[in-house]
Amino acid sequence: MFEDFISIHDLSLYQFSKILDLTKQIKDHPQRFKNKLKNNILAMIFEKPSLRTRVTFEVGMLELGGKTIYLSPSDIQLGKRESPYDVGRNLERWVDGIIARTFSHQHVIDLAKACRMPVINALTDLLHPCQAMADFFTLREKKGDLQNLKLAFIGDGNNVCHSLLFAAAKAGSKMAVATPAGYEPSPDILRQAEEDGKETGSRFHLTNSPLKAAQDADVIYTDVWASMGQKAEREKRAKIFAPFQVNKELMAQAKKDAVFMHCLPAHRGEEVADEVIDSSQSIVYDQAENRLHVQKIIMLLLLRKKTKNG
Ligand code: CP
Ligand code: NVA
């Protein structure tokens, strides 16, 4: 179906909706998929910390009958101890696929180019496609039709925002993005999402006003203000992003039945107030659960002892 899973932008509309359809099947009938990845081994390269991504890939692989090998930041030192090319050329001799969480997006692309087995993007500084697939699956569960849904992203126009733009474009949803000046999503990503969105009627709007973005939204989404690798900027960003906190006042701009979403981990009291993340509108733990189901499907579509060159 596809060889690697690096960006939602690379998926056809058919592939995008097929992943969501299959995710529903595996969530409803996990037993039917048991052992489908028997004898498959997945290498998991992590240059950054993780709770959800690591656990859901490990549990997912166990439930499908396969095995995982966790490679911590100090094990591999991608690009420092060894180039992504050489890491890929070695790993393909022993395992059946790689998931990689890296700083540099190029490292994931280089790994995928180097080896004949599937590579899955488990978050880079640019994108977080597994997250956005799980999020749109969650939205389909909660809201039904994704077409014309209005999603308001409030905060940093970073990796999660980028992948949500690509997913919204494939789903035909509208997306308003409110960021402080200078923290907008990448113009290249926005242009590509707009291009993708022509096929589905999706529309995007950038603003520096969180209240405007939130108006009549079906979904309010936020992410941390300082991402992994940006710790040194945390204090500076906390001041700049303070008006962008998702709190009750901001939620009141959205539709009455709007849901609150966050990829997690959350910095409570910064980008989101407890009163919102702990409210009945919050679906953050459903998003986290669905990472498991959607990634099982992505692994099933890519692995099963297949290689890129036959
Ligand atoms: N949302 C997410 O990817 O969480 P982790 O960083 O804990 O994997
Ligand atoms: N933008 C965040 C997402 C964490 C899942 C980060 O990159 O740290």
Side-chain angles (χ1 to χ4, degrees):
M1 194 183 181
F2 42 91
E3 292 176 338
D4 302 294
F5 184 71
I6 294 180
S7 171
I8 293 171
H9 173 63
D10 302 333
L11 300 177
S12 66
L13 292 184
Y14 171 78
Q15 289 168 336
F16 178 80
S17 58
K18 190 79 190 161
I19 293 173
L20 299 185
D21 292 345
L22 290 170
T23 300
K24 167 100 181 102
Q25 282 187 35
I26 205 165
K27 184 171 180 177
D28 291 348
H29 308 286
Q31 288 305 317
R32 286 188 198 159
F33 296 82
K34 209 177 149 193
N35 288 329
K36 291 265 189 230
L37 288 183
K38 198 166 173 226
N39 298 329
N40 280 261
I41 304 175
L42 184 71
M44 313 207 317
I45 300 175
F46 278 84
E47 289 189 332
K48 297 173 175 174
S50 168
L51 171 68
R52 281 146 291 272
T53 307
R54 178 175 175 185
V55 174
T56 50
F57 271 108
E58 291 208 12
V59 171
M61 206 50 180
L62 272 175
E63 289 182 357
L64 294 169
K67 290 198 167 41
T68 51
I69 299 175
Y70 174 73
L71 298 160
S72 74
S74 55
D75 288 325
I76 293 229
Q77 299 173 48
L78 206 63
K80 288 186 208 109
R81 183 168 185 266
E82 211 162 353
S83 68
Y85 178 84
D86 279 334
V87 169
R89 293 302 305 270
N90 277 267
L91 283 173
E92 71 180 355
R93 299 292 174 116
W94 312 311
V95 304
D96 305 291
I98 301 177
I99 70 153
R101 167 168 285 197
T102 61
F103 291 95
S104 155
H105 186 69
Q106 192 59 42
H107 279 176
V108 171
I109 294 174
D110 291 347
L111 269 173
K113 276 196 197 139
C115 61
R116 285 167 297 169
M117 60 188 171
V119 173
I120 298 174
N121 179 354
L123 180 148
T124 64
D125 284 349
L126 190 71
L127 297 174
H128 197 1
C130 294
Q131 181 69 50
M133 288 307 300
D135 294 339
F136 272 73
F137 177 75
T138 311
L139 280 174
R140 211 170 71 167
E141 285 186 315
K142 303 287 175 190
K143 296 282 179 191
D145 191 15
L146 296 173
Q147 196 104 32
N148 299 319
L149 210 64
K150 180 183 171 186
L151 191 153
F153 183 92
I154 314 289
D156 190 14
N158 194 19
N159 46 10
V160 169
C161 176
H162 289 159
S163 285
L164 289 172
L165 284 166
F166 282 147
K170 300 288 175 189
S173 312
K174 287 183 252 169
M175 192 163 154
V177 180
T179 67
Y183 295 88
E184 291 86 1
S186 135
D188 273 353
I189 301 273
L190 188 66
R191 188 183 38 75
Q192 288 171 25
E194 278 170 346
E195 200 54 43
D196 289 353
K198 280 186 190 154
E199 241 182 297
T200 57
S202 177
R203 273 177 296 132
F204 303 105
H205 174 69
L206 296 195
T207 172
N208 301 127
S209 163
L211 292 179
K212 265 197 202 139
Q215 259 164 30
D216 296 319
D218 300 284
V219 185
I220 304 285
Y221 199 120
T222 191
D223 182 11
V224 291
W225 294 336
S227 284
M228 292 180 273
Q230 298 173 333
K231 207 172 160 196
E233 289 178 45
R234 193 161 168 184
E235 257 179 60
K236 176 186 145 201
R237 282 172 171 259
K239 286 195 194 105
I240 296 171
F241 281 84
F244 289 77
Q245 186 187 67
V246 178
N247 48 33
K248 258 200 206 150
E249 289 69 50
L250 189 111
M251 288 301 290
Q253 301 296 312
K255 287 190 183 150
K256 279 219 154 36
D257 63 350
V259 291
F260 170 73
M261 299 179 87
H262 194 309
C263 51
L264 303 178
H267 294 153
R268 289 163 172 261
E270 291 187 23
E271 77 276 3
V272 61
D274 283 347
E275 66 198 14
V276 172
I277 195 168
D278 295 329
S279 73
S280 58
Q281 285 174 285
S282 172
I283 57 169
V284 298
Y285 305 116
D286 298 310
Q287 294 172 253
E289 178 190 332
N290 286 331
R291 292 287 304 278
L292 171 68
H293 308 301
V294 85
Q295 287 160 199
K296 279 167 84 174
I297 288 304
I298 292 167
M299 289 192 287
L300 275 168
L301 291 172
L302 286 173
L303 292 163
R304 300 187 81 174
K305 289 285 183 194
K306 278 186 292 192
T307 59
K308 279 186 262 193
N309 301 332

